[in-house]
Amino acid sequence: NRAKLHRNSLVHLLKLIDVQHLNINLPDGKGINTVKNIEGAELKTVTITGSGDFNLLDNTIVGVPDGSVSLVASALSGKLSVNLNNTANSVKSVIAGSGDDVINIDSVSSSLSSNGRGINVEGRAGHDVFSFSKNSDGRSAKVVVKGGDGIDKATFAGGTDFSLSDLTLLLSTD
């Protein structure tokens, strides 16, 4: 089914049944702001394309029970704003596009990292900002952030301590 988008549409609730792959196209600069999580018990992948902005605000994408749901926005030229956190079964893998993206890493638990996945982010092109909250440095946390073409920036909340974590940052500065 197709929904008609206005310039910036608010999505109040997107709860999916029997959907494994959700494709969202944001043509002509039309964007989406979410008010709640995007959820689907069988959801494995959300793919975002087009030139509009996709903003999860303080929400996330919740999918399959093994926690392997991913967000793929490699063909998005608009801005991607996403918050990665410890919400059960939420997105932990993000591939961004060519927009100036904002990726917030809000919390990482050791149980998330013990399964070997942790949080994995590819910023790709654009001037991306990767923000680490005071809760992003969980004991034995595993976080990999790769920038791309463009000038990328990582910001850390005061008091973060990754000494008991596995943090990899590969950022572009030119």
Side-chain angles (χ1 to χ4, degrees):
N1 293 338
R2 295 183 184 264
K4 185 172 182 170
L5 296 177
H6 300 281
R7 183 47 107 192
N8 278 314
S9 296
L10 273 177
V11 175
H12 290 275
L13 179 63
L14 191 53
K15 195 163 204 156
L16 308 167
I17 298 172
D18 295 330
V19 175
Q20 293 181 351
H21 307 284
L22 174 64
N23 297 307
I24 300 173
N25 182 25
L26 302 174
D28 305 321
K30 294 181 172 139
I32 289 180
N33 296 318
T34 63
V35 176
K36 295 194 176 205
N37 292 341
I38 295 173
E39 298 180 5
E42 297 179 25
L43 188 60
K44 295 179 180 180
T45 307
V46 175
T47 302
I48 313 293
T49 60
S51 59
D53 295 342
F54 185 77
N55 188 348
L56 283 170
L57 302 173
D58 291 327
N59 305 300
T60 190
I61 299 168
V62 180
V64 291
D66 70 359
S68 65
V69 64
S70 62
L71 172 61
V72 179
S74 56
L76 179 68
S77 60
K79 180 180 181 177
L80 173 68
S81 299
V82 63
N83 187 36
L84 304 176
N85 58 39
N86 275 337
T87 300
N89 306 323
S90 66
V91 67
K92 304 293 188 267
S93 174
V94 175
I95 300 174
S98 60
D100 296 341
D101 307 313
V102 176
I103 314 272
N104 296 314
I105 298 171
D106 185 37
S107 53
V108 184
S109 70
S110 59
S111 62
L112 168 68
S113 297
S114 65
N115 65 19
R117 281 193 288 274
I119 289 179
N120 198 336
V121 177
E122 287 184 41
R124 303 231 170 157
H127 304 301
D128 303 322
V129 176
F130 305 98
S131 299
F132 294 83
S133 77
K134 64 181 179 178
N135 299 318
S136 63
D137 60 352
R139 183 183 185 103
S140 302
K142 181 177 181 182
V143 180
V144 177
V145 174
K146 298 176 187 172
D149 294 339
I151 299 173
D152 300 323
K153 180 169 101 174
T155 63
F156 297 87
T160 52
D161 178 1
F162 285 92
S163 62
L164 298 175
S165 306
D166 182 357
L167 173 65
T168 303
L169 288 176
L170 303 167
L171 301 180
S172 175
T173 57
D174 60 306

